[in-house]
Amino acid sequence: MPTSAHEGLIHIMVIAASSDNTMTQSEWRRVEGLVGRMPVFEGFDPSRLTDVANACVEKVNGAPGLDGAINDALAAIPVKLQDTAYALAVELTALDLHLSQEELRFLEMLRDRIEVDRLTTAAIETAARARYRRMPG
């Protein structure tokens, strides 16, 4: 299990970014950027980011598997930050403007396990779509 809420949030981001079986450079840069600028990560040493991400990948690929990794990450995240965890997951999956079936399934799995109401998760999803929308044409 991640030992801190910071690590749990990072695990959720890594799982979200790799839910389509690959993590792109763009997704990794987004993880680094979010950890570097979001107030929720104050106090986290960014030099540990790669180690925390690697620990998450090992967990997903190991005995606990995806379900265990998600459960462990959420166990480390206080209930009051579960909406933040969901927002971070949506941020990573929406980055390429296309949600694969695997990414949609991961978000569904996460929604089913967090203590956040459907209206809030829908608002988070709508806000992400609005942020990444491009001009038509």
Side-chain angles (χ1 to χ4, degrees), residues 72-134:
D72 288 350
L74 290 176
I77 300 169
V79 172
K80 70 178 182 173
L81 292 179
Q82 288 188 357
D83 58 349
T84 302
Y86 190 74
L88 291 169
V90 170
E91 187 77 17
L92 268 296
T93 57
L95 184 61
D96 62 2
L97 303 176
H98 170 75
L99 291 176
S100 69
Q101 287 300 315
E102 294 87 357
E103 289 169 324
L104 290 169
R105 177 69 185 124
F106 166 71
L107 291 175
E108 181 183 336
M109 289 172 64
L110 189 58
R111 266 194 317 268
D112 290 345
R113 294 176 188 186
I114 59 176
E115 295 184 39
V116 179
D117 64 85
R118 294 289 187 227
L119 188 57
T120 300
T121 59
I124 290 168
E125 293 162 5
T126 300
R129 280 193 301 274
R131 276 194 309 281
Y132 288 107
R133 196 167 285 139
R134 297 185 190 272

Side-chain angles (χ1 to χ4, degrees), residues 45-64:
D45 178 1
S47 70
R48 296 187 49 241
L49 182 57
T50 301
D51 291 337
V52 172
N54 286 336
C56 176
V57 171
E58 288 175 16
K59 186 173 286 190
V60 169
N61 291 331

